[in-house]
Amino acid sequence: MDSKVRLLTKAVTWQVAGFCSMLLIGFIFTGSVAAGGGIAITGSVVGFVSYFVHELAWSKVAWGVSGR
């Protein structure tokens, strides 16, 4: 099992990698670093909120969980 520090580090590095990818994609499509940055920030926030809501929904589902 990973430590909490390792889990946090993995989550942060994943977000940074996703942000950089979205920034690059946004720049390629728009030709603007500012627009690409806006797309990347929006994508990061929406992705974080979506993941959180997804996890909340799945925490209510007992299917596939042993010991409940």
Side-chain angles (χ1 to χ4, degrees):
M1 177 175 235
D2 289 341
S3 70
K4 290 180 181 177
V5 172
R6 180 179 165 86
L7 287 173
L8 178 62
T9 303
K10 286 169 60 177
V12 168
T13 57
W14 177 254
Q15 280 297 112
V16 169
F19 178 83
C20 291
S21 298
M22 288 298 292
L23 178 62
L24 179 61
I25 292 167
F27 175 72
I28 289 169
F29 276 87
T30 66
S32 166
V33 173
I39 292 168
I41 290 169
T42 302
S44 293
V45 171
V46 169
F48 177 80
V49 171
S50 297
Y51 179 77
F52 187 77
V53 171
H54 177 262
E55 287 298 309
L56 283 177
W58 269 101
S59 71
K60 308 270 188 253
V61 176
W63 173 78
V65 177
S66 59
R68 270 195 176 174

